[in-house]
């Protein structure tokens, strides 16, 4: 594309966008192939949703924001379903209490798949229309987010089962037999430009791009490993109050937390059931509180979101061949959850010490879509990178994931930083 | 049978017992036929259990108390399942938290059905052995209890679904177009013999039979109806504190209770989805608190368990042909949940003002089976009769059902009493 | 008095009633003498009330039900106080949330004492009027109940204080150095007449008197002691699920209960601070759950309320000199909380296995006073006897105290029964 | 002082520091003069502490960190009190559960005052010793913080009382009869130096000083008023979900919030009881959620902490006579809580949209004192300025107050910002 084309077609040609729509839709369905109707129905906590609900809700998105608005004679698949499959859009009317989603044994998984087909077919009439490109790109990104949630939510649900069921065969880990090499990316400080500044899709919370002033710092070239976490635990990491934020200390006491989520003696729970823990693989399923305590114990700290982004962009600069979305992320090829050594992207989302707050001159988008990200800007922290469960092509240097400091059912990990 | 035979075979001949075992097992399976794997998996509250769990737990009972004990080479269907399917038997070891039962998407409904077949087959070797007759009779009664719970639990779960799904076609109600006739059974007072005193199975809590002293009283010949409940509500029944027990008033305020469970404007939720409410049918799904408030409003009171039993036995006396288990209860014929006019049995369990407490000289049975009923003797009330969801042949005059005063997801109703 | 007089003056002569009014009022004030304004203000849990509130509420009772009704020109001490000092009388209008009583630093203790004086003075005009005798007798009984609550509530509050403050000097215990002798009161069974059947005041829930049928039984001549409780604990009493009611087991697990309330190593908390525990003194501050578990462990059981009453009345018969209210109960003489060997009355309230439920033909009194007892008839158990904190003359054989099975901040103890 | 002296004596001469110690101690005692022992004992919520506890805890601070460490023969006032009066210092050993502070009716207010005298006297030997100047300055700042908390905590406690008691006579408000003039402080953007950069005391969280990059913006010259808040409410401010952060919307629904804390029809609760609300006075006792929703409604936003500080420093630059601590803050002169027009300081703490997080190169101090501020760095927002309850001399441009977004019992208000 020419530069002018690029500006007018930030998401690629209409054929490319249509292809991405189709492959995204189809990936969602592939992810639930190993699941029974019952697997896809259960909800293990308020933070999580049933797999079936993710499938339906992502479909509701297309129906509500595109088909209902733009197709004159569009017939709703079922008139009562919007109420059931709305998530948090207050402007889109009433919705069921979040924790009741696990009661939706009906519609069945098959009916939800039929709903998806109905909407996919109707979408074919719109998919080439460049007037809808913005919403289509948003809908793809939205569905990719739910793909990751679907995977982390079903993992949490299967973990509740004392029988420890697997949804996939065990995937060989890419991490080898040796501890990854230490090393730091250095940065001299100064003014850096951060936030979404390329063509292509980005969420509203990634902009506007702006400049920030950084002090000199260094960022670890690798993630903290399971083996290092074992050392932290052996050294009384979970018993020494002075390592912990006050809220974190209360949280581990109230919840009897003594290890990362999904750990038990020598093993961790995975999509392939209980597996031996690889000491050289990145530690994952930790909370911000745990990440911060570990960093204190290690004599380092968490990076800010801008430090992380500056290094990520520097990498991009240094190495034109570097594809931040390459690596071990989720795509249509099965099995989808390998782990591996990486760039800053992949393996685990990485906690930063930056609160999830608006950038200068941030404005939420108008309408219901504007509820997308801005309304969650209190009490959460920014995570950067991407995980093994992130759809390929979904992440980028400016991407801001966000969770509360106690949440850890995502593939969350830790990359240390230090002042220099 | 001769009297001597009856004493030695209180549950009928071994063929009869075996036939009852088989028909009970088969009824359980028939009940879940309209349910999907997902329907059978969900759990809507801590008081309820998934349908699948009921199927498996009743099977676990046979495996644990009979097959494992008495069949030398019995092979457990799955070694990890006992942990999952134990209910509350502390002596039988660890078990999963009650509210985690709804996370058991695996095993699937099909696997549970296979488990049932495995156990049924193994049971065939024992079923004729009179040494096991007591445990077999108990196991049948246990399974019948879970049949009723299965039905009330799935009703509660389906009710959470805003789509209001049905599991059966609508069943025509037996109640006609006219309000049932008023009338009272009178009793002159005096000494009555209560508790289990016949041959045949009874739970430990129904005995020992003993004498009680009654004052003169009368018991209504019919249950309170939906139409009468409408009058109670129209007269401010839920807004007048003086009608209510103190705990009841707190309960309706804390839970915003303004009608029986499953009511909405002009309709009630049933196993056949939302249906128009019949004003002449017995009101059901009320709590003890509501039953007591209604009785106060009506100028009457609830009967004691012994008053109820004395009348029930009197009926039996007057009418030798009276079969207390006849009527509209659950058996293998579909559809299983009609309502109808009745004896004291059928339609709804009836709250009494009697606390669920031990009879004089009550002794729990030895061993794990002894945990059966005695350990629940605090804070609950006795209910008498049987409901439309009670298995035919399960109830009797001495039967003591029991629930906490706020619980109302059973088919609970109300028969008034008065002093004379 | 002649018999005719007795019937017309069931509470004694008007001089006697007036004297009891005055000594009761004055005892309330004596009880708070050791307390500071701050002591009298704090509230340690929802079940308890501040001492100051007890003083004011008992005064509000006279103001509301007598002075405001019967004295034409009665001036309320403060127009805003009725709202603050109403307890649970729904018919008397709005009242503050129960757990906000501990926020009433104002009015001060001095102001409340002034309120008492104001009401006492106004009462002098009514006290001789026989038309009010029923309400006066009720008001005295009501105030006596609050005297006991005041003592148990302040004990609970002082116990929260890690400094373990005392409100009285240590009182020498009457229990000696030897374990009390074992022994049983036998009863042959048969028909007994129970409930209030003498002249004199009784609460509505003690009647109507009626007959009950008892099986043969025996009741221990003494209360279970601290030393016996030590044996129960040493034998794993709090760790063996099979000894416990199901609700009780959940309660000890949820609340980490491993001993009676107020126990710590070798000591117990008293109104005189932490004191060495006397192994021969009756165990106290136990819940129904604990009492029931102990009885199971001991191979005995709790008595019913009627068994207890039958023995208490038998004692009275055998020994005309026996005064059930004699002994070690609370009166104006200091120090008020000795313990001692006893009749069935005194030391501790004794749990029965009888649910707190209405007697045959029970009718609550009309009007607000009718809210007195009947509305609490669900989920609680009857306790008989009296404790060291019960006002002298307050208890009687028909008296029915009642608490929930988990409550234990009263002086609750245990007298075993057995079948014979 | 010369510049060299200033560097060596950042807190002024030892005489000046001693004078500030004495006046601070004495102000604490003056604040509780209107309170009874009971007033000083009660605790209305977990976030608040009793007045008496504040008096004792601030005294414990001197005893623990100075006297016990530095005076060889120092005698603890009471050996059991440190346990009772520790707040959150994990390194200083066990402490009582925070919500049990309200149970400390003993020690009495008089005893706590005696404790203060004991410590004050012992401090006289240390107060001139420049080796302790850092800790003394910290202790003064610590006690000043607790003075403000004492005032906001007792206000909250008195507000629970339906009698609406006052602790002071009404103070005439400084705000006049006209709405304050609108106006904006503009800022061109660019690099600003923020954080503590002067001599004198500052908390660890105010440093290190560092540079930040600002976009052009403007900050309102006045606080939002009660009258403007009335308009917000009249315009459905509390009923329009799109104005609210997601957590905020859940918070107002869960807590039925429909107005600022302490508001009722036309009035607000103050230290002088219920008073008519002045429409021209700054609105106060709002949460971050409410501040943010108002800003959205008004079409503006909250400032960042750095924007606020840049303007505050600019003011200082422009107007050498400007004393940021002048105005209407708390000092020894009574009455202490006037409101008034102001600089950026005074009246109310002002929410910023900055998360309370560490500055670059932030290091907590070593030892127990190091628990001071850093461990609270999650989930809270920074507030700038000072309130009418802040001790004179306590605040400064770099000061960072911090609270959770739902908290509003402090004098919290709102100053709007906008992009230019």
């Amino acid at each position: 594309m020419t530069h002018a084309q690029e500006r007018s077609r930030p998401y690629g040609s209409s054929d490319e966008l249509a292809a991405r729509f189709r492959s995204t839709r189809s990936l969602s369905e592939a992810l639930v192939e190993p699941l029974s109707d019952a697997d896809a129905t259960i909800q293990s906590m308020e933070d999580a949703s049933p797999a079936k609900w993710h499938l339906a809700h992502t479909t509701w998105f297309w129906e509500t924001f595109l088909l209902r608005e733009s197709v004159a004679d569009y017939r709703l698949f079922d008139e009562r379903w919007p109420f059931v499959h709305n998530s948090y859009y207050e402007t889109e009317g009433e919705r069921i209490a979040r924790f009741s989603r696990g009661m939706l044994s009906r519609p069945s998984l098959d009916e939800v798949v039929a709903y998806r087909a109905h909407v996919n077919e109707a979408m074919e009439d719109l998919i080439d229309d460049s007037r809808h490109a913005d919403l289509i790109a948003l809908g793809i990104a939205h569905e990719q987010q739910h793909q990751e949630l679907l995977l982390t939510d079903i993992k949490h649900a299967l973990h509740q089962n004392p029988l420890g069921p697997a949804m996939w065969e065990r995937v060989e880990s890419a991490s080898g037999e040796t501890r990854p090499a230490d090393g730091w990316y250095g940065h001299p400080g100064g003014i850096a430009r951060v936030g979404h500044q390329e063509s292509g899709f980005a969420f509203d919370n990634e902009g506007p791009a702006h400049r920030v002033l950084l002090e000199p710092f260094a960022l670890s070239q690798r993630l903290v490993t399971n083996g290092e976490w074992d050392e932290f635990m052996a050294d009384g990491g979970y018993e020494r109050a002075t390592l912990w934020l006050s809220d974190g200390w209360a949280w581990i006491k109230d919840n009897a937390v003594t290890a990362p989520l999904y750990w038990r003696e020598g093993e961790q729970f995975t999509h392939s059931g209980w597996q031996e823990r690889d000491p050289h693989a990145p530690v994952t399923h930790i909370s911000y509180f745990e990440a911060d305590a570990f960093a204190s114990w290690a004599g380092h700290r968490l990076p800010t979101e801008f430090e992380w982004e500056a290094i990520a962009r520097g990498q991009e600069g240094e190495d034109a061949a570097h594809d931040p979305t390459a690596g071990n992320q989720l795509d249509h090829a099965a099995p989808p959850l390998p782990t591996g050594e990486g760039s800053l992207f992949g393996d685990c989302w990485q906690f930063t010490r930056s609160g999830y707050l608006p950038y200068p001159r941030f404005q939420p988008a108008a309408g219901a879509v504007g509820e997308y990200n801005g309304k969650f800007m209190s009490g959460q922290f920014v995570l950067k990178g991407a995980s093994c469960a992130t759809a390929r092509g979904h992440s980028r240097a400016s991407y801001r994931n966000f969770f509360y400091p106690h949440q850890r059912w995502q593939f969350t990990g830790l990359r240390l930083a230090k002042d220099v």
Side-chain angles (χ1 to χ4, degrees), chain A:
Chain A
M1 287 190 289
T2 66
H3 190 70
Q5 275 176 321
E6 189 181 283
R7 208 180 296 155
S8 63
R9 288 178 182 166
Y11 317 115
S13 71
S14 62
D15 278 1
E16 284 162 357
L17 193 60
R20 282 175 48 223
F21 170 80
R22 291 185 201 105
S23 67
T24 298
R25 296 290 290 167
S26 138
L27 175 55
S28 297
E29 287 141 31
L31 292 177
V32 299
E33 258 164 40
L35 301 183
S36 70
D37 186 11
D39 292 334
T41 298
I42 59 177
Q43 177 183 26
S44 57
M45 60 171 173
E46 194 166 346
D47 285 339
S49 295
K52 206 160 65 179
W53 190 90
H54 286 297
L55 292 186
H57 167 71
T58 48
T59 307
W60 168 90
F61 186 97
W62 301 109
E63 190 173 59
T64 302
F65 296 115
L66 264 164
L67 298 174
R68 237 168 42 174
E69 297 294 319
S70 305
V71 178
D73 58 349
Y74 177 70
R75 176 184 56 81
L76 283 179
F77 183 75
D78 188 305
E79 292 192 353
R80 301 165 309 162
W81 286 25
F83 170 78
V84 171
H85 298 124
N86 182 1
S87 52
Y88 57 76
Y89 298 83
E90 304 278 352
T91 39
E92 286 301 314
E94 292 295 307
R95 59 215 149 84
I96 64 168
R98 181 154 189 169
F99 203 30
S100 296
R101 291 177 188 168
M103 290 299 104
L104 298 175
S105 60
R106 323 259 181 111
S108 71
L109 183 51
D110 286 347
E111 288 170 302
V112 169
V113 169
Y115 175 35
R116 293 183 65 88
H118 172 89
V119 162
N120 287 349
E121 192 183 317
M123 281 294 296
E124 287 295 325
D125 294 339
L126 290 175
I127 200 74
D128 292 326
D129 187 335
S130 64
R131 286 172 304 173
H132 302 310
D134 283 353
L135 265 175
I136 291 170
L138 175 62
I140 290 170
H142 172 257
E143 185 143 354
Q144 288 175 324
Q145 288 185 311
H146 279 278
Q147 288 166 350
E148 179 150 8
L149 291 171
L150 187 158
L151 286 171
T152 51
D153 290 355
I154 190 66
K155 180 174 182 178
H156 194 268
L158 294 175
H159 179 248
Q160 309 304 309
N161 191 327
L163 304 174
M167 66 182 271
W168 285 308
E169 291 293 299
R170 176 155 187 267
V171 181
E172 216 42 57
S173 165
S175 69
E177 304 207 347
T178 53
R179 177 166 167 162
D182 289 340
W184 298 86
Y185 299 116
H187 192 288
I191 288 182
R193 186 163 171 82
V194 294
H196 185 61
Q197 51 203 257
E198 298 81 14
S199 68
F201 174 80
F203 284 115
D204 54 359
N205 63 9
E206 299 172 48
H210 63 289
R211 295 170 308 151
V212 293
L213 191 52
L214 301 176
E215 304 283 320
F217 72 95
L219 184 70
S220 175
Q221 289 177 2
R222 63 177 181 79
L223 298 178
V224 169
T225 65
N226 286 329
E228 289 171 299
W229 206 271
D230 280 323
E231 291 169 39
F232 169 64
M233 285 167 59
D235 196 35
Y238 285 90
E239 290 115 48
R240 290 159 57 184
T242 51
L243 295 173
W244 292 80
L245 287 163
S246 180
D247 285 354
W249 187 247
W251 173 76
I252 66 171
K253 290 301 156 200
D254 290 351
N255 297 283
V257 172
T258 59
L261 183 63
Y262 301 136
W263 279 34
R264 69 180 187 194
E265 189 60 34
E267 294 188 318
Q268 60 190 345
F269 188 73
T270 74
H271 287 88
S272 306
W274 289 100
Q275 298 290 344
E276 193 182 346
R277 218 159 52 223
D278 176 355
H280 304 311
V283 68
T284 186
H285 295 299
I286 54 171
S287 65
Y288 179 86
F289 295 134
E290 289 165 289
D292 183 79
F294 182 94
S296 294
W297 173 79
H300 295 308
R301 63 171 173 83
L302 304 182
T304 67
E305 61 172 317
F306 302 127
E307 288 171 342
W308 193 101
E309 184 172 345
I311 296 294
R313 291 188 180 280
Q315 282 190 304
E316 290 174 292
E318 284 164 12
D319 174 8
H322 174 84
D323 171 3
T325 63
N328 36 42
Q329 289 159 281
L330 189 67
D331 68 6
H332 209 147
L337 292 166
T339 59
E341 67 186 288
S343 65
L344 264 61
F345 299 84
D347 284 325
C348 297
W349 289 99
Q350 296 145 51
F351 277 112
T352 73
R353 79 198 297 175
S354 297
Y356 175 56
L357 295 165
Y359 285 172
R361 300 181 186 278
F362 168 72
Q363 292 293 343
V369 166
E371 294 187 42
Y372 209 88
N373 282 306
K375 76 181 191 181
F376 299 110
M377 289 177 173
S378 68
Q380 310 202 43
F381 282 91
V382 172
L383 297 98
K384 300 293 283 187
S387 85
C388 53
T390 310
R392 188 180 293 265
H394 182 69
S395 196
R396 58 201 152 262
S398 60
Y399 198 95
R400 306 174 81 199
N401 204 346
F402 50 92
F403 285 96
Y404 290 97
H406 69 279
Q407 291 176 319
R408 55 184 193 160
W409 90 110
Q410 298 304 302
F411 286 93
T412 48
L414 163 63
R415 184 185 298 275
L416 294 171
K418 63 179 178 186
D419 300 318
V420 294

